Amino acid sequence: MRIIDSKIGRAEIEKLLTKKAFDEIELPPHIRESNKKIFGADLSAAEVVRKIVNDVRKNGDAAVIDYTKKFDGVEIAAENFLVTAEEFIDAENSVEEKIVDSLKRAAENIRSYHIEQLPKSWLTYRGENSILGQSIIPLERVGVYVPGGLAAYPSSVLMNVIPAKVAGVGEIVMCVPARNGKINPYVLIAAKIAGADKIYKIGGAQAIAAMAFGTQTVPRVNKITGPGNIFVTLAKKEVFGHCDIDMLAGPSEILIIADKNANPIYAAADMLSQAEHDPLACSIVITTDKNLAEEISAEVEKQLAKLPRREIAEASIKTNGLIIVAQDLAEAIEFANISAPEHLELLVNEPFNCLPKIKNAGAVFLGAYSPEPLGDYFAGPNHVLPTGGTAKFYSVLNVETFLKRTSLISYTRSDLLNVADDIIRLANAEGLTAHAEAIKKRN
């Protein structure tokens, strides 16, 4: 674990905290070799995705079937893409009741939280009964992507589908890669609890393209949400404009600000809670105490030894684990804002005193008893968060992700005549005389 003193200079610290763009992430050698066999050339991730997206756009189900076999090793016919009622029954018969009960309680928390986010349509009167307003309209059809590679994520199902249901989306389509032809039963149960309408057993960039353009089997959607690997993320980037997307979600991140009173056991555990996601996951602590930095580093090594997913977490910590010793709390917060992390934990004495100074973070966890997994699974706020520094301009997935705002304008004749001269002047100033004439004709 690297321990860096901030005295090395702000420029160096900024370099350490700045993430690579999604299309700059280098693929592991085994994945590059696999892609080379499939495409006959050593392509970048972006080039691979572009080929897949274009192929699915042109050839529909046939391309989806082809790439599902090549990448996932699963042979599936188009008529078997859709999860059947029998598969739901099989899932219900293979799950633990207590885990399902926990999913239901989590779903209720998530639903209650997101109901509070609902905006309202409104109308206001101006002049002689002229009306201005805003209409809030849910999207007609949304596609949700749920990862299914290194782990299963029923929690992601709840976090994507429930806000869409609260928003009033007409139809929610879900795509999940099926390992050995089957979807994890808890993912299916979560989909049923949350209210997904259709679930397709396809994943990867081909699933994103299928939802974006539609195929003979998969319906075209208005927006795609949900996290995935680099190929899924780049596919969302590639199809943006043909449909909307929520955000470009990369590898998971946590940044912890810890003062001298922070518990090193908690900090280490929280770092590893992110590191076990993915070798590319990023875990950073910024502390004001050098001794605490060393204690956290030692504790990470100690806890690593007991993790079932040690190999993944160890690779993540080795590559992207970092502890920075800041001069004071103000500098620690400044560095956190530069990083703009997905998850920001404040393990400090007075976390709410720091909150007004936090400008860039996907979600903020305040105090020792608000660990990041609380937000991942149960508290209610969404866990689909901006990563890779995009918290500087992206928001957490929320109910408004699934809504459109339409402006409403209704003027009476007298109110239009009162402002006609202003509109005509402005139109003529822009050289748009037909605009001016459209007003003049009503005089």
Side-chain angles (χ1 to χ4, degrees), residues 134-204:
Q134 176 177 270
S135 183
I136 304 296
I137 305 169
L139 300 179
E140 293 178 44
R141 184 185 290 128
V142 164
V144 170
Y145 187 86
V146 178
L150 296 176
Y153 296 100
S155 59
S156 285
V157 176
L158 301 181
M159 293 291 183
N160 282 272
V161 175
I162 290 174
K165 292 294 287 187
V166 169
V169 169
E171 184 177 45
I172 301 170
V173 171
M174 204 169 99
C175 283
V176 190
R179 301 186 74 179
N180 301 318
K182 291 187 176 182
I183 295 175
N184 179 279
Y186 292 106
V187 167
L188 291 182
I189 297 300
K192 188 172 183 179
I193 291 169
D197 296 296
K198 293 178 180 176
I199 305 170
Y200 294 91
K201 294 174 284 189
I202 55 174

Side-chain angles (χ1 to χ4, degrees), residues 99-287:
I99 296 177
V100 174
D101 288 342
S102 293
L103 280 171
K104 289 178 179 177
R105 286 191 287 271
E108 187 51 43
N109 289 343
I110 295 163
R111 188 174 291 107
S112 297
Y113 180 88
H114 286 82
I115 286 172
E116 296 293 330
Q117 295 179 336
L118 274 168
K120 295 179 181 179
S121 299
W122 55 268
L123 296 173
T124 187
Y125 291 91
R126 175 178 290 180
E128 292 185 4
N129 294 320
S130 294
I131 298 171
L132 299 178
Q134 176 177 270
S135 183
I136 304 296
I137 305 169
L139 300 179
E140 293 178 44
R141 184 185 290 128
V142 164
V144 170
Y145 187 86
V146 178
L150 296 176
Y153 296 100
S155 59
S156 285
V157 176
L158 301 181
M159 293 291 183
N160 282 272
V161 175
I162 290 174
K165 292 294 287 187
V166 169
V169 169
E171 184 177 45
I172 301 170
V173 171
M174 204 169 99
C175 283
V176 190
R179 301 186 74 179
N180 301 318
K182 291 187 176 182
I183 295 175
N184 179 279
Y186 292 106
V187 167
L188 291 182
I189 297 300
K192 188 172 183 179
I193 291 169
D197 296 296
K198 293 178 180 176
I199 305 170
Y200 294 91
K201 294 174 284 189
I202 55 174
Q206 61 270 26
I208 299 298
M211 290 190 285
F213 299 111
T215 70
Q216 297 87 341
T217 303
V218 182
R220 184 171 185 166
V221 303
N222 305 121
K223 187 165 193 167
I224 298 172
T225 73
N229 63 18
I230 187 172
F231 296 102
V232 169
T233 299
L234 289 173
K236 287 168 71 176
K237 185 177 180 182
E238 188 71 21
V239 302
F240 175 67
H242 299 282
C243 66
D244 194 14
I245 63 171
D246 53 350
M247 64 185 78
L248 299 175
S252 193
E253 309 159 357
I254 190 168
L255 189 149
I256 301 166
I257 294 178
D259 63 17
K260 64 180 181 180
N261 298 308
N263 188 322
I265 296 174
Y266 295 171
D270 295 350
M271 290 182 80
L272 292 172
S273 73
Q274 294 309 291
E276 73 170 349
H277 271 295
D278 189 317
L280 296 174
C282 181
S283 302
I284 297 173
V285 168
I286 304 177
T287 181

Side-chain angles (χ1 to χ4, degrees), residues 416-417 419-421 423-424 434-443:
L416 178 63
L417 295 179
V419 298
D421 288 345
I423 300 169
I424 291 166
H435 281 63
E437 286 300 318
I439 301 299
K440 290 178 182 179
K441 297 296 184 188
R442 287 168 168 78
N443 282 345

Side-chain angles (χ1 to χ4, degrees), residues 266-317:
Y266 295 171
D270 295 350
M271 290 182 80
L272 292 172
S273 73
Q274 294 309 291
E276 73 170 349
H277 271 295
D278 189 317
L280 296 174
C282 181
S283 302
I284 297 173
V285 168
I286 304 177
T287 181
T288 54
D289 187 87
K290 178 69 181 295
N291 290 333
L292 180 66
E294 292 172 352
E295 289 174 7
I296 293 172
S297 179
E299 187 63 34
V300 166
E301 294 302 319
K302 181 179 176 182
Q303 293 185 29
L304 256 177
K306 300 176 183 178
L307 285 182
R309 292 168 67 88
R310 175 178 178 173
E311 188 176 344
I312 294 170
E314 197 167 36
S316 169
I317 290 295

Side-chain angles (χ1 to χ4, degrees), residues 325-396:
V325 181
Q327 295 181 52
D328 51 36
L329 197 55
E331 186 177 66
I333 293 171
E334 182 184 0
F335 291 155
N337 282 326
I338 290 169
S339 177
E342 177 187 15
H343 308 99
L344 174 61
E345 285 191 4
L346 300 178
L347 297 185
V348 298
N349 266 350
E350 300 291 342
F352 281 91
N353 289 345
C354 297
L355 190 57
K357 300 169 187 174
I358 302 299
K359 305 301 179 186
N360 303 317
V364 182
F365 300 79
L366 297 105
Y369 299 101
S370 304
E372 185 277 336
L374 173 66
D376 261 1
Y377 292 108
F378 204 78
N382 212 285
H383 81 194
V384 181
L385 302 165
T387 62
T390 60
K392 293 175 182 175
F393 49 85
Y394 268 132
S395 298
V396 56

